[in-house]
Amino acid sequence: MSIQQEEQLIAKIQSIFPDESSILPEFQLPSLIHQTDYLVNGELRQWDGATEDAISCIYLKTSKGLEPKLIGSFPLLTKEAALDVLDAAVKAYDHGVGDWAMMPVAERIAHVQDFTYRMKSKRQEVVRLLMWEIGKSLADSYKEFDRTIDYIEDTIGALKDLDRANSRFIIEQGVIGQIRRSPLGVVLCLGPSNYPLNETFTTMIPALIMGNTVILKPSRPGTLLFRPLLEAFLESFPKGVVNTIYGKGREVASPIMASGRLDGFAFIGSSKAANALATLHPKPNRLRTILGLEAKNPAIILPDADLDLTVKECILGTLSFNGQRCTALKILFVHAQIIDQFLEKFSSALSNLKFGLPWDKDVSLTPLPEIDRPKYFTELVEDAKQFGAKVINAGGGTIEETFFYPAVLYPVTPEMRIYHEEQFGPVIPIATFEHLDTPLQYIVDSNYGQQVSIFGQDPDAIAQLVDRLVNQVARVNLNSQCQRGPDTFPFTGRKDSAEGTLSVTDALRSFSIRSLVAAKEKEENKKLLTTIVREHKSNFLSTDFIL
Ligand code: G3H
């Protein structure tokens, strides 16, 4: 790119934010959303305490210059209010004898189906809020909503299968048994801001459908997009089964955890925040933790890799949703024989990515949801430069308020922060290697162990790498970027990257425990069990089959 072209690119970046009047009406928010209620004990309770402004990551041109767009506000609950919410969830669970926990599986499924039906009607509202709150592109926002609906429907299917498989008695070594999965109790679900709807629901829906009662705390930003769903929760579930809290984690989540009354903790975010909360529980053995944490997934690019395909996957892997995915490729190790071609092709592919506002056609790169992120990325870039790396792409690292144009750093070495830190955004560190020991040792030494991508074509080399890496990370991707989906595949990680496993089927297990009824195979026991089953006296002891 010539100097003049680079200047034009920078000027374009610096005019990314529009006049409000130029935004098409279908993408504008019809009004400010001042949320003054929260869901507790089957009511939308009014909140007249402190609130927090919800500020969009999208800036607008005004007579005073660029100003961030205010989109509304949401409650900042106090410790007392949060503990009231906990009370409601504990009461609804009622030590496992509440209506929801005791309800036959088919009926619980019907409630979730009812919720899904109501949720579908909120698609446009939620998608619009995804764009304004976290800057996700229109296409990706629709994808997030639709993927969540699919996830719920697949979860219902998986639970039916599970229930069918458990609707029978087993006779083993003279013992008759029926084994089912039972709820854990009260579960706190904390969602992330990058997939605020999808990832929150991938823990909350399985927790609910298994008979737990739930307290949901959406991420900030990402709170308001749940507002259109509150009526659907209210109308679809018995009171106290779904409850919401808002505010600062240490104000509202810490006292709930410290009360010792929680049985499950689902959290997607940093291990530091997860551990700070989980360790507050006074009875740690009672708490089941299901955590999706940080990762620093590397790509290993071998000399015989198909470069066009590799670049395409690495662009997706590093920059989908601006690199703000736990599964993003966060460092690329490229073999020395092909590094020059790779850098050239990668920078050229990046320069073709469209940047702009979430609703712009075919946009890939959009503003970032937290105002201080560009500053952090600049720090990483400056630190790497100090140790000899260069930003090799035109315009790399240019900032306009919340927009950070991706910076490709090369050569990246172990002295640099970006070599180790999870950047979670559009800074792309590229390291080179002569011997495979370099990336392999990197993975062994890393605190994280989520996934890796290998690019190459030699079956012997790939097979050897696969066999080594499956014991280091939880998923090895061949000639493909790292990713969570399909949602029927297990999603987990080693070391500081996760606790527990999520997938459509695994999550049902994660939020439940196996309980069984057993009796010695004697005539009187057989008669007893037969009468209970034949006369439908128990929900648990039953051979009813959900169709
Ligand atoms: O942030 C982590 C997400 O689970 C990533 O999901 O790989 O489908 O984008 P994805």
Side-chain angles (χ1 to χ4, degrees):
M1 197 180 269
S2 67
I3 294 182
Q4 200 189 6
Q5 283 170 321
E6 183 160 5
E7 279 169 4
Q8 280 169 0
L9 171 67
I10 292 172
K12 205 172 150 205
I13 294 169
Q14 287 166 342
S15 59
I16 181 173
F17 293 113
D19 280 329
E20 190 154 21
S21 59
S22 68
I23 301 172
L24 289 175
E26 67 254 44
F27 303 128
Q28 294 206 13
L29 289 170
S31 57
L32 288 177
I33 303 168
H34 288 300
Q35 179 177 342
T36 56
D37 47 15
Y38 60 110
L39 182 58
V40 54
N41 204 27
E43 62 164 310
L44 283 173
R45 190 171 293 171
Q46 280 302 310
W47 175 249
D48 52 16
T51 57
E52 179 170 318
D53 281 347
I55 309 277
S56 174
C57 55
I58 296 166
Y59 277 63
L60 297 171
K61 282 195 189 113
T62 71
S63 53
K64 290 184 257 160
L66 284 180
E67 299 264 352
K69 165 90 175 150
L70 173 75
I71 52 180
S73 58
F74 54 86
L76 282 181
L77 299 191
T78 54
K79 174 182 171 182
E80 291 69 34
L83 288 174
D84 262 1
V85 173
L86 173 65
D87 264 344
V90 169
K91 213 185 290 161
Y93 188 67
D94 196 9
H95 305 286
V97 296
D99 290 349
W100 185 247
M102 296 286 275
M103 195 176 276
V105 170
E107 282 178 40
R108 278 209 301 265
I109 287 176
H111 283 272
V112 175
Q113 276 167 333
D114 180 44
F115 171 74
T116 317
Y117 173 77
R118 294 171 196 275
M119 177 176 164
K120 282 180 186 170
S121 69
K122 303 291 179 185
R123 185 171 183 253
Q124 298 301 341
E125 270 176 86
V126 174
V127 162
R128 210 176 332 202
L129 281 162
L130 273 166
M131 293 193 288
W132 280 97
E133 277 198 280
I134 62 159
K136 189 165 276 194
S137 72
L138 179 65
D140 283 350
S141 297
Y142 275 128
K143 218 187 281 171
E144 176 159 354
F145 189 93
D146 297 342
R147 179 180 176 180
T148 307
I149 296 285
D150 289 347
Y151 190 93
I152 301 175
E153 288 173 347
D154 290 348
T155 297
I156 291 171
L159 180 55
K160 285 183 180 171
D161 282 346
L162 184 67
D163 196 75
R164 285 178 200 127
N166 294 339
S167 287
R168 57 192 281 266
F169 285 85
I170 297 164
I171 302 177
E172 195 72 56
Q173 295 177 25
V175 181
I176 310 170
Q178 183 162 29
I179 308 166
R180 287 187 183 276
R181 300 202 73 93
S182 306
L184 303 173
V186 179
V187 177
L188 175 66
C189 293
L190 265 63
S193 61
N194 62 337
Y195 282 86
L197 181 75
N198 181 261
E199 291 220 284
T200 311
F201 273 34
T202 59
T203 61
M204 190 180 134
I205 295 294
L208 272 177
I209 210 166
M210 293 312 286
N212 302 282
T213 61
V214 164
I215 301 167
L216 157 71
K217 181 185 177 303
S219 65
R220 318 153 52 217
T223 296
L224 287 184
L225 61 94
F226 283 92
R227 180 61 194 83
L229 302 177
L230 292 190
E231 280 83 7
F233 284 132
L234 184 69
E235 284 153 14
S236 311
F237 294 102
K239 77 172 187 181
V241 170
V242 183
N243 308 276
T244 60
I245 54 170
Y246 309 98
K248 299 194 173 82
R250 62 180 177 280
E251 193 67 35
V252 293
S254 301
I256 288 180
M257 190 63 79
S259 74
R261 298 164 86 196
L262 269 190
D263 306 282
F265 175 43
F267 176 88
I268 316 283
S270 76
S271 53
K272 196 171 151 218
N275 297 340
L277 260 179
T279 49
L280 294 175
H281 200 296
K283 295 176 186 161
N285 297 332
R286 172 172 170 170
L287 186 73
R288 172 87 57 94
T289 49
I290 295 98
L291 312 176
L293 306 171
E294 58 269 43
K296 181 92 179 167
N297 294 340
I300 303 176
I301 301 163
L302 301 170
D304 64 344
D306 171 340
L307 271 192
D308 289 333
L309 175 138
T310 304
V311 165
K312 190 169 153 255
E313 290 293 320
C314 287
I315 286 281
L316 281 175
T318 52
L319 288 173
S320 297
F321 191 36
N322 310 305
Q324 301 169 115
R325 294 158 62 224
C326 58
T327 47
L329 287 173
K330 297 197 179 104
I331 185 163
L332 310 180
F333 286 94
V334 185
H335 195 277
Q337 276 175 28
I338 49 161
I339 184 73
D340 293 339
Q341 301 100 290
F342 181 85
L343 292 177
E344 200 190 309
K345 279 179 184 274
F346 189 86
S347 302
S348 149
L350 196 166
S351 69
N352 290 329
L353 293 182
K354 202 170 156 196
F355 60 89
L357 300 176
W359 42 82
D360 290 347
K361 194 167 179 290
D362 300 328
V363 73
S364 293
L365 305 165
T366 53
L368 307 168
E370 285 162 71
I371 184 71
D372 50 349
R373 296 301 283 169
K375 194 169 145 258
Y376 167 66
F377 297 139
T378 305
E379 272 172 32
L380 289 179
V381 169
E382 291 308 317
D383 170 78
K385 278 184 180 168
Q386 207 186 303
F387 292 101
K390 287 197 170 69
V391 174
I392 59 146
N393 61 314
T398 304
I399 293 174
E400 181 64 2
E401 303 294 353
T402 48
F403 183 75
F404 183 96
Y405 190 73
V408 182
L409 287 169
Y410 176 78
V412 163
T413 51
E415 304 77 42
M416 303 171 189
R417 283 172 59 189
I418 189 71
Y419 194 81
H420 309 278
E421 275 178 40
E422 186 198 28
Q423 66 273 39
F424 211 79
V427 180
I428 302 147
I430 302 184
T432 189
F433 68 96
E434 303 256 4
H435 302 289
L436 273 172
D437 287 352
T438 305
L440 290 176
Q441 196 58 42
Y442 176 88
I443 294 168
V444 168
D445 293 341
S446 171
N447 286 331
Y448 310 119
Q450 192 197 62
Q451 301 190 17
V452 63
S453 289
I454 308 170
F455 293 91
Q457 303 186 57
D458 173 23
D460 290 327
I462 301 276
Q464 274 188 30
L465 275 174
V466 163
D467 288 353
R468 290 185 68 156
L469 290 171
V470 286
N471 292 346
Q472 298 297 330
V473 296
R475 171 165 165 166
V476 177
N477 300 280
L478 302 183
N479 295 312
S480 318
Q481 64 151 330
C482 295
Q483 62 181 47
R484 174 178 177 148
D487 287 327
T488 45
F489 281 15
F491 179 53
T492 184
R494 296 169 185 267
K495 303 191 233 176
D496 288 342
S497 285
E499 261 182 51
T501 302
L502 291 172
S503 77
V504 167
T505 45
D506 286 296
L508 296 177
R509 293 171 180 274
S510 295
F511 292 100
S512 61
I513 185 164
R514 297 218 288 181
S515 295
L516 65 137
V517 177
K520 296 232 167 97
E521 195 184 1
K522 293 193 173 142
E523 270 325 298
E524 55 270 39
N525 284 339
K526 282 188 192 174
K527 259 193 216 147
L528 179 69
L529 290 171
T530 307
T531 309
I532 292 173
V533 171
R534 191 184 299 135
E535 296 180 21
H536 295 98
K537 287 180 183 293
S538 161
N539 286 334
F540 190 100
L541 287 171
S542 164
T543 52
D544 282 358
F545 202 79
I546 305 177
L547 289 174

